[in-house]
Amino acid sequence: MSEIFQITVLSIQVSAIATAISLLIGLPFGTWLALGNFRGRSFILSIINTGMALPPVVVGLVVAIMLWRSGPLGDLRLIYTPAAIIIAQTIIAAPVVTGLTAAALEALDPRLQQQLLGLGASRVQMIWYLWREARLPLLAALMAGFGSVISEVGASMMVGGNIRGQTRVLTTAIVLETSKGEFGQALALSTLLLVLTYLINLALTWIQQRGQRR
Protein backbone atom coordinates (compact mmCIF):
# COMPACT_ATOMS: atom_id res chain seq x y z
CA MET A 1 0.00 0.00 0.00
CA SER A 2 2.83 2.40 0.82
CA GLU A 3 4.40 1.76 -2.58
CA ILE A 4 1.11 2.49 -4.36
CA PHE A 5 0.78 5.70 -2.36
CA GLN A 6 4.33 6.72 -3.32
CA ILE A 7 3.64 5.97 -6.99
CA THR A 8 0.40 7.96 -6.89
CA VAL A 9 2.01 10.96 -5.21
CA LEU A 10 4.88 10.96 -7.72
CA SER A 11 2.41 10.75 -10.61
CA ILE A 12 0.53 13.80 -9.33
CA GLN A 13 3.72 15.72 -8.61
CA VAL A 14 5.40 15.30 -11.98
CA SER A 15 2.21 15.87 -13.98
CA ALA A 16 1.22 18.92 -11.91
CA ILE A 17 4.68 20.48 -12.25
CA ALA A 18 4.79 19.75 -15.99
CA THR A 19 1.32 21.26 -16.44
CA ALA A 20 2.26 24.35 -14.43
CA ILE A 21 5.39 24.90 -16.52
CA SER A 22 3.35 24.35 -19.68
CA LEU A 23 0.93 27.02 -18.51
CA LEU A 24 3.77 29.46 -17.86
CA ILE A 25 5.01 28.82 -21.40
CA GLY A 26 1.76 28.34 -23.26
CA LEU A 27 -0.32 31.18 -21.84
CA PRO A 28 1.97 34.07 -22.89
CA PHE A 29 3.09 32.35 -26.11
CA GLY A 30 -0.48 31.55 -27.13
CA THR A 31 -1.49 35.12 -26.30
CA TRP A 32 1.33 36.47 -28.45
CA LEU A 33 0.21 34.29 -31.36
CA ALA A 34 -3.45 35.24 -30.95
CA LEU A 35 -2.88 38.99 -30.74
CA GLY A 36 0.11 39.29 -33.02
CA ASN A 37 0.06 40.18 -36.69
CA PHE A 38 3.42 39.31 -38.17
CA ARG A 39 4.96 37.36 -41.01
CA GLY A 40 5.28 33.68 -40.25
CA ARG A 41 2.44 33.62 -37.75
CA SER A 42 0.49 30.98 -39.69
CA PHE A 43 3.61 28.84 -39.96
CA ILE A 44 4.21 28.97 -36.20
CA LEU A 45 0.55 28.15 -35.52
CA SER A 46 0.81 25.14 -37.84
CA ILE A 47 3.83 23.90 -35.88
CA ILE A 48 1.96 24.36 -32.59
CA ASN A 49 -1.07 22.52 -33.95
CA THR A 50 1.19 19.70 -35.11
CA GLY A 51 2.79 19.63 -31.67
CA MET A 52 -0.64 19.11 -30.10
CA ALA A 53 -0.69 15.66 -31.73
CA LEU A 54 2.98 14.89 -31.10
CA PRO A 55 3.40 11.18 -30.17
CA PRO A 56 4.71 10.91 -26.58
CA VAL A 57 7.09 8.12 -27.56
CA VAL A 58 8.78 10.46 -30.06
CA VAL A 59 9.15 13.08 -27.34
CA GLY A 60 10.60 10.45 -25.04
CA LEU A 61 13.12 9.39 -27.66
CA VAL A 62 14.32 12.95 -28.33
CA VAL A 63 14.56 13.83 -24.63
CA ALA A 64 16.37 10.56 -23.89
CA ILE A 65 18.92 11.27 -26.64
CA MET A 66 19.49 14.77 -25.26
CA LEU A 67 19.82 13.62 -21.64
CA TRP A 68 21.75 10.41 -22.24
CA ARG A 69 25.25 10.32 -20.78
CA SER A 70 26.79 10.84 -24.21
CA GLY A 71 24.15 13.41 -25.21
CA PRO A 72 24.42 17.22 -25.27
CA LEU A 73 22.89 17.50 -21.78
CA GLY A 74 24.36 14.31 -20.37
CA ASP A 75 26.48 16.16 -17.82
CA LEU A 76 23.30 17.21 -16.02
CA ARG A 77 22.66 13.56 -15.15
CA LEU A 78 18.91 13.93 -15.44
CA ILE A 79 18.17 10.72 -17.34
CA TYR A 80 16.08 8.26 -15.30
CA THR A 81 15.01 10.92 -12.80
CA PRO A 82 11.62 12.57 -12.11
CA ALA A 83 13.08 15.77 -13.64
CA ALA A 84 13.48 13.97 -16.97
CA ILE A 85 9.82 12.92 -16.88
CA ILE A 86 8.80 16.51 -16.13
CA ILE A 87 10.83 17.76 -19.11
CA ALA A 88 9.22 15.23 -21.45
CA GLN A 89 5.72 15.87 -20.15
CA THR A 90 6.20 19.63 -20.44
CA ILE A 91 7.13 19.24 -24.11
CA ILE A 92 3.95 17.20 -24.60
CA ALA A 93 1.61 19.59 -22.76
CA ALA A 94 3.04 22.97 -23.82
CA PRO A 95 1.76 22.83 -27.44
CA VAL A 96 -1.69 21.81 -26.17
CA VAL A 97 -1.92 24.76 -23.79
CA THR A 98 -0.43 27.15 -26.37
CA GLY A 99 -2.75 26.09 -29.18
CA LEU A 100 -5.90 26.17 -27.08
CA THR A 101 -4.93 29.53 -25.56
CA ALA A 102 -4.47 31.04 -29.01
CA ALA A 103 -7.80 29.58 -30.17
CA ALA A 104 -9.61 30.88 -27.06
CA LEU A 105 -8.34 34.44 -27.49
CA GLU A 106 -8.92 34.45 -31.24
CA ALA A 107 -12.57 33.55 -30.57
CA LEU A 108 -13.12 36.82 -28.69
CA ASP A 109 -14.57 39.84 -30.46
CA PRO A 110 -11.57 41.54 -32.14
CA ARG A 111 -13.11 44.94 -31.42
CA LEU A 112 -12.69 44.32 -27.71
CA GLN A 113 -8.94 45.02 -27.89
CA GLN A 114 -9.47 48.42 -29.51
CA GLN A 115 -12.21 49.32 -27.05
CA LEU A 116 -9.97 48.54 -24.08
CA LEU A 117 -7.05 50.48 -25.52
CA GLY A 118 -9.39 53.35 -26.38
CA LEU A 119 -10.54 53.49 -22.76
CA GLY A 120 -6.95 54.02 -21.68
CA ALA A 121 -5.96 50.48 -20.70
CA SER A 122 -2.31 49.58 -21.03
CA ARG A 123 -1.35 46.54 -23.11
CA VAL A 124 -0.78 44.51 -19.95
CA GLN A 125 -4.19 45.53 -18.60
CA MET A 126 -5.80 44.69 -21.93
CA ILE A 127 -4.24 41.21 -21.97
CA TRP A 128 -5.32 40.59 -18.38
CA TYR A 129 -8.90 41.55 -19.24
CA LEU A 130 -8.85 39.30 -22.32
CA TRP A 131 -7.66 36.43 -20.15
CA ARG A 132 -10.55 37.07 -17.80
CA GLU A 133 -13.02 37.09 -20.68
CA ALA A 134 -11.61 33.82 -21.99
CA ARG A 135 -11.10 32.23 -18.57
CA LEU A 136 -13.46 29.31 -19.24
CA PRO A 137 -11.76 28.04 -22.43
CA LEU A 138 -8.38 28.81 -20.82
CA LEU A 139 -9.31 26.55 -17.93
CA ALA A 140 -10.29 23.93 -20.49
CA ALA A 141 -6.80 24.31 -21.97
CA LEU A 142 -5.35 23.65 -18.52
CA MET A 143 -7.48 20.53 -18.18
CA ALA A 144 -6.43 19.30 -21.62
CA GLY A 145 -2.77 19.89 -20.82
CA PHE A 146 -3.00 17.96 -17.56
CA GLY A 147 -4.94 15.16 -19.20
CA SER A 148 -2.31 14.79 -21.92
CA VAL A 149 0.45 14.08 -19.39
CA ILE A 150 -1.18 12.27 -16.46
CA SER A 151 -2.20 9.44 -18.81
CA GLU A 152 0.88 9.19 -21.06
CA VAL A 153 3.26 6.27 -20.70
CA GLY A 154 5.72 6.18 -23.60
CA ALA A 155 7.81 9.22 -22.72
CA SER A 156 7.76 8.49 -18.98
CA MET A 157 8.99 4.95 -19.58
CA MET A 158 11.79 6.03 -21.93
CA VAL A 159 13.24 8.89 -19.90
CA GLY A 160 12.29 7.70 -16.42
CA GLY A 161 13.18 4.04 -16.71
CA ASN A 162 10.29 2.92 -14.47
CA ILE A 163 12.64 2.56 -11.49
CA ARG A 164 10.95 1.34 -8.34
CA GLY A 165 10.83 3.98 -5.62
CA GLN A 166 12.31 6.65 -7.89
CA THR A 167 10.61 7.15 -11.25
CA ARG A 168 7.74 4.67 -11.31
CA VAL A 169 4.42 6.40 -11.93
CA LEU A 170 0.93 4.96 -12.31
CA THR A 171 1.03 4.51 -16.07
CA THR A 172 4.42 2.79 -16.12
CA ALA A 173 3.42 0.65 -13.14
CA ILE A 174 0.36 -0.50 -15.09
CA VAL A 175 2.55 -1.50 -18.05
CA LEU A 176 4.92 -3.38 -15.71
CA GLU A 177 2.15 -5.33 -13.98
CA THR A 178 0.58 -6.21 -17.34
CA SER A 179 3.91 -7.50 -18.68
CA LYS A 180 4.20 -9.70 -15.56
CA GLY A 181 0.73 -11.11 -16.12
CA GLU A 182 -0.60 -9.48 -12.95
CA PHE A 183 -3.80 -8.31 -14.59
CA GLY A 184 -5.65 -7.85 -11.30
CA GLN A 185 -3.00 -5.46 -10.03
CA ALA A 186 -2.90 -3.69 -13.39
CA LEU A 187 -6.67 -3.22 -13.33
CA ALA A 188 -6.54 -1.90 -9.77
CA LEU A 189 -3.88 0.65 -10.73
CA SER A 190 -5.84 1.56 -13.87
CA THR A 191 -8.94 2.16 -11.76
CA LEU A 192 -6.92 4.31 -9.38
CA LEU A 193 -5.58 6.37 -12.28
CA LEU A 194 -9.07 6.85 -13.73
CA VAL A 195 -10.52 7.88 -10.36
CA LEU A 196 -7.63 10.26 -9.72
CA THR A 197 -7.97 11.85 -13.16
CA TYR A 198 -11.74 12.12 -12.73
CA LEU A 199 -11.48 13.82 -9.34
CA ILE A 200 -8.94 16.37 -10.56
CA ASN A 201 -10.99 17.16 -13.66
CA LEU A 202 -14.15 17.28 -11.55
CA ALA A 203 -12.56 19.95 -9.37
CA LEU A 204 -11.42 21.95 -12.39
CA THR A 205 -14.84 21.58 -14.02
CA TRP A 206 -16.51 22.83 -10.84
CA ILE A 207 -14.27 25.90 -10.92
CA GLN A 208 -15.08 26.36 -14.61
CA GLN A 209 -18.84 26.11 -14.08
CA ARG A 210 -18.67 28.40 -11.07
CA GLY A 211 -16.89 31.01 -13.22
CA GLN A 212 -19.53 30.60 -15.93
CA ARG A 213 -22.31 31.57 -13.51
CA ARG A 214 -20.57 34.84 -12.63
Side-chain angles (χ1 to χ4, degrees):
M1 183 62 68
S2 60
E3 183 178 357
I4 294 177
F5 178 77
Q6 187 270 335
I7 291 172
T8 303
V9 170
L10 182 61
S11 299
I12 296 173
Q13 285 179 340
V14 296
S15 295
I17 293 172
T19 305
I21 297 173
S22 307
L23 190 63
L24 292 175
I25 296 171
L27 188 58
F29 191 35
T31 301
W32 176 66
L33 288 173
L35 305 183
N37 185 15
F38 53 90
R39 184 178 299 177
R41 176 177 175 273
S42 298
F43 175 72
I44 296 175
L45 279 172
S46 67
I47 293 177
I48 295 298
N49 291 333
T50 302
M52 293 175 68
L54 198 62
V57 68
V58 174
V59 175
L61 175 61
V62 174
V63 174
I65 291 173
M66 297 294 291
L67 298 182
W68 197 250
R69 294 177 181 86
S70 57
L73 302 177
D75 291 340
L76 298 177
R77 297 184 179 180
L78 294 178
I79 192 70
Y80 301 148
T81 66
I85 301 177
I86 291 172
I87 292 172
Q89 290 191 354
T90 298
I91 295 174
I92 293 170
V96 176
V97 176
T98 302
L100 293 179
T101 295
L105 294 177
E106 285 179 336
L108 296 175
D109 189 337
R111 294 173 297 180
L112 184 57
Q113 300 179 41
Q114 300 303 321
Q115 291 173 353
L116 291 171
L117 294 174
L119 291 172
S122 66
R123 186 164 181 83
V124 173
Q125 290 173 327
M126 179 199 70
I127 291 174
W128 178 254
Y129 187 84
L130 293 178
W131 284 352
R132 288 189 59 186
E133 284 295 299
R135 62 186 180 276
L136 300 183
L138 289 180
L139 186 56
L142 174 64
M143 294 166 63
F146 180 79
S148 67
V149 293
I150 189 65
S151 59
E152 77 82 28
V153 60
S156 298
M157 183 77 77
M158 295 184 73
V159 303
N162 198 21
I163 303 173
R164 182 178 184 181
Q166 297 183 40
T167 60
R168 184 167 297 168
V169 293
L170 283 171
T171 50
T172 58
I174 292 169
V175 172
L176 176 65
E177 296 300 329
T178 302
S179 66
K180 291 162 54 179
E182 299 289 343
F183 297 109
Q185 184 75 356
L187 284 173
L189 290 171
S190 299
T191 302
L192 176 60
L193 177 60
L194 287 173
V195 171
L196 177 64
T197 305
Y198 170 75
L199 291 176
I200 293 174
N201 281 295
L202 178 64
L204 292 174
T205 302
W206 178 80
I207 294 173
Q208 185 184 48
Q209 295 302 314
R210 184 181 179 185
Q212 192 172 14
R213 291 194 293 268
R214 291 181 177 178

